Amino acid sequence: MWSVLLVFAATYILIAARRLSILPIGRPAGALAGACGMVLLSVVDPGAGLTPEAAFAAIEPNTIGLLLGMMLLSASLDMAGVFEHAAAWVARRRLSPVRLLYLVTLGSGLASAVLLNDSVCVMLAPLVDRTARRAGLDRVPYLLALAMGANAGSALTLAGNPQNMLVGHLSGISYRTYLLEAGPAALIGLAVTAVMLHLLLRRRIAARTPSLDLAPEPERDAAPARDPAQGAAAPPGSARPNAAVPLACIAVVSLLFVLGANLAWTAIGGATAAILLHRRDANGLFERVSWTVLVFFGALFIVVAGLQKTGMPEQALRAVSPYLPAGPATGVLGLSIAMLVGCQIVSNVPFILLAESYIRSQPDPHLAWIATALVSTLAGNFTLLGSVANIIVVETVGAEREIGFRSYAKVGVPVTLASTAAALLWLLLVR
């Protein structure tokens, strides 16, 4: 048991302290090392860790499949230049700094609800950064708006982020049911996020009305394909695909989600349809998929399953259960506080896996699962490390010096507390 706990702790040290000078291997590699450690334990001590077969079985295929499908659909939009056309449209409106802040926050949030928050941040971060720079604006408020808006808005649907995908699988709640019950609360949380960002950053955005010019450079379409984190580029000598194809595929996929189709295969099928309808080499599309994110979550499933096998999470739950709120409403509040704290320590997906038995033990499990999806998503805005989307935005545009852990927390903590409180209040009042 203790050997498993040691592997689990070492894994999260590698994940949280990804820039350790002794082993700077990064989050996906740290999670992969932990997964290998769990399998190795079963060889050294047959009663500990996971066998190779059990390790593969621990990976949740519906979550990974849905992630892959949504990433491919987002990448198809990027290859078609949809995001750049949207940025150019915004530029022509010559918005004031305040209106631009609201547009980035709300726009990234709504886009994340349909696509995927991580993918949206990968595609939009370079465009938001360039928009602010060309307008002579402080880019920090708009990068924060992109990250926090994408996190908050992704709570709208079960396909908006990895943790909601996991909640949908574990709870059995349908896409349509979640949208109807949690959607209004998530919209309130997104609106509060935008207002709080405005209030907290008003001094930094109080500048002249910018004259934006985001027309794509003439040579951009002929530029070679680049890493997704560096923005989109079409393959040499080829024109961009027709934007109507991915837009139509996403519309159909979203409709099928609402009608109750399998989320993972619907997303993968929609991405496949987009590839077939483009009738061209799809290598550039697959290059835009964040494979490291898929590796990261797949390995986390194995690490958490190894810990769950020991029974330690259940033992901890039984030990603290006498001190936890017992009523339907108070139980959700207690769960929400645990989510806010736990998601900062071990990230949202593994914490949901560890807290699964606690969530199921609530007086109203259905409400508890809805609250789990909402709070674990909004909790991503609490600290810089609370969400992968935050790291994507900061690292994609090289803003590590401007947006550090403390500077992010000064904005993220009040934004998260206010948006979470507003979303939960609506959810409890309606229920």
Side-chain angles (χ1 to χ4, degrees):
M1 177 183 295
W2 294 108
S3 59
V4 172
L5 184 61
L6 181 62
V7 171
F8 183 84
T11 301
Y12 280 95
I13 289 174
L14 290 174
I15 292 172
R18 61 194 176 84
R19 294 177 187 267
L20 284 175
S21 58
I22 57 173
L23 201 61
I25 61 175
R27 289 185 180 83
L32 190 61
C36 291
M38 286 295 179
V39 174
L40 182 61
L41 283 180
S42 70
V43 177
V44 178
D45 180 3
L50 297 173
T51 64
E53 295 78 12
F56 281 121
I59 300 174
E60 209 296 287
N62 288 283
T63 302
I64 301 298
L66 182 54
L67 272 170
L68 174 61
M70 298 310 296
M71 285 180 179
L72 286 169
L73 286 170
S74 298
S76 66
L77 286 178
D78 185 41
M79 287 191 68
V82 172
F83 295 113
E84 289 190 0
H85 287 308
W89 180 87
V90 171
R92 291 194 294 271
R93 297 301 178 274
R94 299 184 179 273
L95 301 176
S96 68
V98 172
R99 289 185 177 180
L100 182 61
L101 183 82
Y102 276 97
L103 182 62
V104 171
T105 307
L106 300 176
S108 63
L110 295 177
S112 296
V114 177
L115 300 173
L116 182 71
N117 61 340
D118 293 345
S119 296
V120 168
C121 287
V122 168
M123 308 305 176
L124 291 186
L127 297 179
V128 171
D129 178 62
R130 192 162 69 247
T131 299
R133 287 178 179 274
R134 290 186 177 182
L137 300 171
D138 182 351
R139 66 175 180 167
V140 170
Y142 303 96
L143 295 177
L144 291 176
L146 172 60
M148 294 187 185
N151 286 331
S154 68
L156 272 161
T157 68
L158 287 179
N161 56 62
Q163 62 269 20
N164 279 18
M165 297 175 186
L166 180 61
V167 165
H169 172 70
L170 295 176
S171 67
I173 298 174
S174 70
Y175 186 94
R176 180 175 62 252
T177 298
Y178 179 86
L179 180 63
L180 293 175
E181 295 188 14
L187 277 176
I188 291 173
L190 176 60
V192 171
T193 297
V195 173
M196 289 295 295
L197 283 170
H198 179 199
L199 294 176
L200 294 169
L201 300 170
R202 59 187 181 278
R203 292 184 179 179
R204 301 191 71 162
I205 61 177
R208 61 181 179 82
T209 301
S211 178
L212 302 178
D213 181 11
L214 271 184
E217 292 86 348
E219 67 275 11
R220 184 170 177 78
D221 287 347
R226 293 180 291 175
D227 184 88
Q230 302 301 319
S238 64
R240 287 194 184 276
N242 188 345
V245 171
L247 288 173
C249 289
I250 290 171
V252 173
V253 165
S254 299
L255 177 61
L256 291 175
F257 282 168
V258 173
L259 294 177
N262 180 276
L263 298 183
W265 282 108
T266 299
I268 293 174
T272 303
I275 292 172
L276 294 175
L277 291 172
H278 278 324
R279 294 184 298 174
R280 66 181 68 204
D281 191 332
N283 285 337
L285 188 67
F286 285 103
E287 288 173 359
R288 287 166 167 79
V289 172
S290 300
W291 297 104
T292 54
V293 174
L294 299 179
V295 172
F296 178 67
F297 285 112
L300 280 182
F301 281 122
I302 297 174
V303 174
V304 173
L307 182 63
Q308 287 176 319
K309 182 182 174 182
T310 67
M312 294 179 69
E314 288 75 12
Q315 294 173 15
L317 172 62
R318 286 196 297 268
V320 302
S321 58
Y323 308 99
L324 298 174
T330 55
V332 167
L333 292 176
L335 173 64
S336 299
I337 294 173
M339 281 287 165
L340 282 173
V341 176
C343 289
Q344 310 310 314
I345 299 174
V346 298
S347 189
N348 38 34
V349 169
F351 188 78
I352 291 173
L353 289 170
L354 292 173
E356 180 183 356
S357 58
Y358 174 46
I359 299 169
R360 295 189 186 279
S361 69
Q362 293 293 306
D364 186 347
H366 181 88
L367 177 61
W369 281 116
I370 295 290
T372 295
L374 279 172
V375 176
S376 64
T377 299
L378 294 172
N381 286 335
F382 201 80
T383 68
L384 182 60
L385 302 178
S387 169
V388 175
N390 300 339
I391 304 299
I392 289 174
V393 170
V394 172
E395 294 188 349
T396 296
V397 299
E400 292 90 340
R401 291 186 178 182
E402 298 162 83
I403 306 177
F405 187 88
R406 289 185 179 180
S407 61
Y408 184 99
K410 288 180 180 178
V411 179
V413 171
V415 166
T416 302
L417 293 178
S419 59
T420 303
L424 280 178
L425 179 60
W426 174 268
L427 186 65
L428 293 175
L429 287 175
V430 171
R431 293 288 293 187

